[in-house]
């Protein structure tokens, strides 16, 4: 089932709550009104009974009853009388009815225990009546004044109707005004939705709604921030693709040249062998470049929320050194470590740190002269990798970490992405990467923020 919109849910909930409150109030008002009406009519019956108890009923005869009946029958009243809802009767001590109102009272039944208020079912329809029984002053007669309970209920309902009907009309007006207000206040949000839906895929400019309510402004701000991040990401990807295309063009051109040389040097085995060697090196260089580009692309889409594991710095660093022993031996480079003091970062992504050290050690070997000394040292606050016998100028240091940047005049095979990868991995683990150069020794330091 499709979930209802927030606007429709607010309207429905408001209708239910308002209707529930109105009905609850009507029920409470009915209960209170019924109680007050019962008290009023009980008092009225009791007062009437007391008045009739002072009458001398000794001389009442059947002729008197007939005369009273005739007077009642001939009585004309233009008012709204409710005689049928009242009844009166007088009984002697033997339980005989000696007088009644010629209406409902003549149906009252006397009981020996009749005293105070009681309830009887009167007439053919057995309707409930509330009757008060009171002894006369001479203690020889009993006065009975009754009232139909349905009349009391009807009176209470009429009172509630007169009270709650205006409030019900007012509630309907209030609900209509509330629904209109909810619709009106949701219009700015609909404008935002329409503005986003009408945009083209390349339009990432900020949403401008100066008249938006305060509650919607944080949402608009969050959307604009998302647009900004997406725009930056797209710009970075476009720049990366452009740089990659530019960097791949040169090695691919060189490979085509070597193929041409091989074809032209069919009768020159020496030239052909040299061209094959250059082709092999070019393929390795291109493969390394593609591998580094793929690694950097994955890092751009990687966050610090990936699954982390316990880091063993000695294992990671020594495994990375072992991968480069042959390359170091070729240039007679010595690699030493001081790993007694462990780096305080205990958890992270092990494969990323392995990639980081592979790139740093690979760079240190490539850009160091023969017989250099590479040192790797760990401290609680940082990891430092230094290599001597290196010459580098200040302008080059300031550009280290730029994608595809390689120092001028350098003939070593490389992609110019190694330090970019190192910086990205450090950032993912909330670490800082810094470079320093002094007296022929170049240092790369990784420290915690």
């Amino acid at each position: 089932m499709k979930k209802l919109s927030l606007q429709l849910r607010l309207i429905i909930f408001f209708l239910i709550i308002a209707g529930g409150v109105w009905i609850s109030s009507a029920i409470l008002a009915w209960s209170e009104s019924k109680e007050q009406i019962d008290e009023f009519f009980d008092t009225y019956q009791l007062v009437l009974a007391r008045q009739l108890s002072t009458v001398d009923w000794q001389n009442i005869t059947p002729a008197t009853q007939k005369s009273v009946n005739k007077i009642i029958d001939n009585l004309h009243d233009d008012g709204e009388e409710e005689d049928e809802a009242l009844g009166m009767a007088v009984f002697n001590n033997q339980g005989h009815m000696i007088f009644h109102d010629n209406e409902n009272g003549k149906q009252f039944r006397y009981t020996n225990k009749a005293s105070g208020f009681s309830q009887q079912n009167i007439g053919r329809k057995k309707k409930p009546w509330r009757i008060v029984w009171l002894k006369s002053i001479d203690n020889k007669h009993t006065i009975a004044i009754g009232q139909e309970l349905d009349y009391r209920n009807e009176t209470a309902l009429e009172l509630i109707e007169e009270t709650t009907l205006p409030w019900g009309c007012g509630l309907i007006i209030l609900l209509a005004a509330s629904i209109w207000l909810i619709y009106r206040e949701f219009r700015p949000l609909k404008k935002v939705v329409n503005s986003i839906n009408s945009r083209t895929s390349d339009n990432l400019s900020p949403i401008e709604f100066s008249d938006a309510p305060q509650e919607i402004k944080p949402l608009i701000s969050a959307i604009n921030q998302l647009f900004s991040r997406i725009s930056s990401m797209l710009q970075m990807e476009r720049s990366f693709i452009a740089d990659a295309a530019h960097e791949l063009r040169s090695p691919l051109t060189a490979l085509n040249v070597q193929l041409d040389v091989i074809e032209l040097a069919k009768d020159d085995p020496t030239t052909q062998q040299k061209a094959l060697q250059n082709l092999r090196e070019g393929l390795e260089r291109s493969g390394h470049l593609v591998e580094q580009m793929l690694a950097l692309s994955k890092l751009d889409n990687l966050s610090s929320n990936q699954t982390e594991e316990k880091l063993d710095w000695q294992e990671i660093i020594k495994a990375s050194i072992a991968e480069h022993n042959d390359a170091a031996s070729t240039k007679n480079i010595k690699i030493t470590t001081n790993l007694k003091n462990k780096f305080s970062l205990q958890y992270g992504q092990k494969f990323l740190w392995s990639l980081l050290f592979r790139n740093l050690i690979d760079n240190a070997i490539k850009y160091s002269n023969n017989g250099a000394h590479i040192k790797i040292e760990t401290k609680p606050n940082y990891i430092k990798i230094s290599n001597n016998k290196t010459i580098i100028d200040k302008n080059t240091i300031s550009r280290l970490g730029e994608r595809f940047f390689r120092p001028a005049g350098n003939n070593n095979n490389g992609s110019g992405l190694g330090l970019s990868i190192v910086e990205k991995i450090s950032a993912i683990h909330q670490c800082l990467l810094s470079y320093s150069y002094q007296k022929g020794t170049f240092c790369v330091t990784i420290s915690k923020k």
Side-chain angles (χ1 to χ4, degrees):
M1 182 178 178
K2 186 177 180 180
K3 193 173 183 180
L4 299 177
S5 67
L6 176 60
Q7 179 177 333
L8 186 57
R9 278 183 289 157
L10 283 174
I11 293 173
I12 293 175
F13 290 157
F14 191 75
L15 289 174
I16 292 174
I17 292 173
V21 170
W22 183 78
I23 292 173
S24 300
S25 301
I27 294 173
L28 181 61
W30 154 260
S31 177
E32 292 293 327
S33 299
K34 185 68 170 59
E35 183 179 351
Q36 295 296 326
I37 288 173
D38 286 340
E39 290 181 2
F40 172 77
F41 283 119
D42 282 351
T43 303
Y44 172 72
Q45 287 179 245
L46 189 58
V47 170
L48 185 58
R50 286 176 178 174
Q51 290 176 346
L52 294 177
S53 67
T54 62
V55 177
D56 183 10
W57 299 101
Q58 291 290 343
N59 300 320
I60 296 297
T61 63
T64 305
Q65 179 70 62
K66 291 181 180 180
S67 298
V68 171
N69 293 346
K70 186 176 181 181
I71 292 173
I72 293 174
D73 291 339
N74 295 328
L75 182 64
H76 297 283
D77 189 359
D78 294 333
E80 296 181 3
E81 57 183 61
E82 296 286 352
D83 290 340
E84 293 183 357
L86 289 172
M88 183 274 288
V90 180
F91 298 87
N92 59 24
N93 288 339
Q94 287 74 38
H96 299 298
M97 185 181 295
I98 64 171
F99 188 79
H100 57 77
D101 59 0
N102 196 33
E103 293 289 346
N104 300 298
K106 62 184 179 182
Q107 302 183 53
F108 292 174
R109 300 183 303 276
Y110 179 83
T111 60
N112 294 328
K113 297 180 180 180
S115 178
F117 286 92
S118 66
Q119 185 171 315
Q120 285 187 7
N121 294 327
I122 304 301
R124 289 178 300 176
K125 295 183 179 181
K126 300 297 182 181
K127 292 186 177 181
W129 280 64
R130 184 169 173 80
I131 303 174
V132 60
W133 304 84
L134 186 67
K135 284 288 186 180
S136 62
I137 293 178
D138 58 10
N139 205 31
K140 294 179 180 181
H141 301 86
T142 301
I143 315 300
I145 304 295
Q147 186 177 47
E148 186 180 354
L149 292 180
D150 287 346
Y151 173 76
R152 294 189 178 190
N153 294 335
E154 291 173 2
T155 303
L157 286 174
E158 290 177 0
L159 181 60
I160 293 301
E161 182 180 350
E162 293 175 358
T163 304
T164 58
L165 186 59
W167 284 102
C169 295
L171 181 62
I172 293 174
I173 296 174
L174 177 62
L175 290 175
S178 300
I179 293 172
W180 174 81
L181 185 62
I182 291 173
Y183 175 79
R184 178 179 177 274
E185 293 302 317
F186 268 82
R187 280 190 297 180
L189 190 58
K190 290 183 178 180
K191 288 183 180 179
V192 174
V193 174
N194 293 333
S195 174
I196 296 175
N197 287 335
S198 62
R199 288 178 170 228
T200 58
S201 59
D202 59 344
N203 184 2
L204 296 174
S205 60
I207 300 173
E208 296 292 343
F209 275 105
S210 58
D211 59 341
Q214 291 295 328
E215 292 78 8
I216 299 180
K217 285 184 178 179
L219 174 62
I220 296 176
S221 177
I223 294 174
N224 287 337
Q225 291 177 12
L226 177 62
F227 282 169
S228 178
R229 291 196 297 269
I230 294 174
S231 178
S232 299
M233 183 184 69
L234 290 175
Q235 183 64 32
M236 183 172 59
E237 288 185 356
R238 289 166 182 162
S239 176
F240 180 79
I241 292 172
D243 291 342
H246 174 75
E247 292 297 322
L248 284 172
R249 187 180 296 113
S250 296
L252 290 176
T253 302
L255 291 176
N256 286 325
V257 170
Q258 297 302 323
L259 286 173
D260 292 339
V261 171
I262 293 173
E263 290 180 356
L264 295 173
K266 293 180 179 180
D267 299 330
D268 189 351
T270 303
T271 303
Q272 193 175 51
Q273 187 65 31
K274 186 176 180 181
L276 285 172
Q277 180 63 29
N278 292 334
L279 180 62
R280 186 178 295 106
E281 291 177 356
L283 288 172
E284 290 178 356
R285 188 184 307 111
S286 299
H288 178 71
L289 175 61
V290 172
E291 181 182 348
Q292 293 286 70
M293 287 170 57
L294 290 174
L296 190 59
S297 177
K298 290 179 180 179
L299 289 174
D300 285 337
N301 298 305
L302 199 64
S303 68
S304 58
N305 296 325
Q306 303 294 320
T307 303
E308 296 185 341
E309 55 188 321
K310 183 79 172 179
L311 297 176
D312 186 337
W313 293 109
Q314 289 195 8
E315 177 187 349
I316 294 172
I317 294 173
K318 288 182 178 180
S320 300
I321 293 173
E323 294 180 15
H324 295 83
N325 280 335
D326 292 342
S329 298
T330 301
K331 296 182 70 173
N332 195 26
I333 293 175
K334 182 180 180 182
I335 303 177
T336 60
T337 61
N338 182 5
L339 310 177
K340 294 180 180 180
N341 299 312
K342 295 182 179 179
F343 188 39
S344 58
L345 185 66
Q346 298 183 359
Y347 292 91
Q349 299 175 51
K350 183 177 177 180
F351 78 97
L352 291 184
W353 283 105
S354 299
L355 177 62
L356 179 145
F357 283 107
R358 284 202 301 271
N359 276 281
L360 286 178
I361 295 172
D362 183 65
N363 276 1
I365 293 173
K366 283 182 179 178
Y367 297 104
S368 295
N369 294 322
N370 292 341
H373 183 195
I374 298 174
K375 297 180 182 179
I376 303 176
E377 180 184 18
T378 58
K379 294 288 184 181
N381 296 327
Y382 65 85
I383 299 175
K384 181 184 291 186
I385 299 177
S386 60
N387 55 309
N388 61 1
K389 295 187 178 181
T390 301
I391 299 175
I392 187 170
D393 58 71
K394 293 182 179 180
N395 293 330
T396 299
I397 292 178
S398 64
R399 296 192 60 188
L400 292 177
E402 291 183 14
R403 295 183 178 187
F404 303 108
F405 171 73
R406 300 182 67 206
N410 190 284
N411 297 321
N412 292 301
N413 294 334
S415 61
L417 294 174
L419 290 181
S420 297
I421 293 174
V422 170
E423 288 189 355
K424 189 66 178 179
I425 294 174
S426 299
I428 290 174
H429 290 87
Q430 306 298 313
C431 293
L432 293 174
L433 192 69
S434 59
Y435 310 102
S436 62
Y437 179 74
Q438 189 174 10
K439 295 181 180 180
T441 300
F442 176 72
C443 298
V444 179
T445 304
I446 305 168
S447 57
K448 293 186 67 177
K449 289 184 179 179

